Amino acid sequence: MAALGGNIASVQADGAHMAAQLKSTAAGECTIHTLTRQNGTVSEYARADGLIFAVTWHGPARADLRQLLGDHFDTFQTDNAVAGGRRPRRPLAVNRSDFVVRTGGHSGAFWGVATLPQSAPSGCTVNPLQ
């Protein structure tokens, strides 16, 4: 899967896995690969060398963050762990120099953005609602 930090070569496989329609758009120093499904949209931002440096999602259902965050999912889980194993009652987030995640929403309208800030090319803006 073309997860955060992964390679662009598998974006089409993501589209097939998610039963999504794929549209790619050049945007400055990056290419945005947008996967549109009935239950939401996922956008994967790739540098010229194919590295996925950002992923955004929005829609009526929660996104599969294990798929979208890839190797960064464990960090996401660790940074949002609560004593007793309960789920926190706040939006889940990560704020590290090399990995940033913001999530939000409510039933029927979820969104999020995950980036690798140090890997992002200059001149490419990540829009969480794109």
Side-chain angles (χ1 to χ4, degrees):
M1 306 280 169
L4 187 66
N7 192 295
I8 196 62
S10 62
V11 169
Q12 288 185 338
D14 277 354
H17 174 77
M18 291 191 257
Q21 181 178 17
L22 173 63
K23 177 184 175 190
S24 298
T25 307
E29 298 292 316
C30 65
T31 301
I32 304 169
H33 302 280
T34 303
L35 300 162
T36 305
R37 316 169 284 162
Q38 269 190 286
N39 66 344
T41 300
V42 172
S43 295
E44 299 174 342
Y45 291 71
R47 299 187 317 201
D49 65 359
L51 178 83
I52 304 295
F53 68 90
V55 178
T56 67
W57 60 92
H58 62 90
R62 294 185 190 273
D64 180 352
L65 295 184
R66 182 174 300 280
Q67 176 184 350
L68 297 179
L69 300 180
D71 293 339
H72 300 280
F73 183 75
D74 290 339
T75 302
F76 176 78
Q77 289 284 82
T78 300
D79 283 13
N80 287 284
V82 177
R86 296 185 324 263
R87 183 182 165 138
R89 294 185 51 90
R90 60 174 168 68
L92 303 178
V94 174
N95 192 24
R96 296 180 177 217
S97 63
D98 61 340
F99 177 46
V100 176
V101 178
R102 297 286 178 261
T103 65
H106 53 81
S107 183
F110 296 99
W111 64 269
V113 58
T115 62
L116 303 174
Q118 297 172 350
S119 298
S122 61
C124 188
T125 303
V126 176
N127 180 355
L129 299 178
Q130 187 158 350

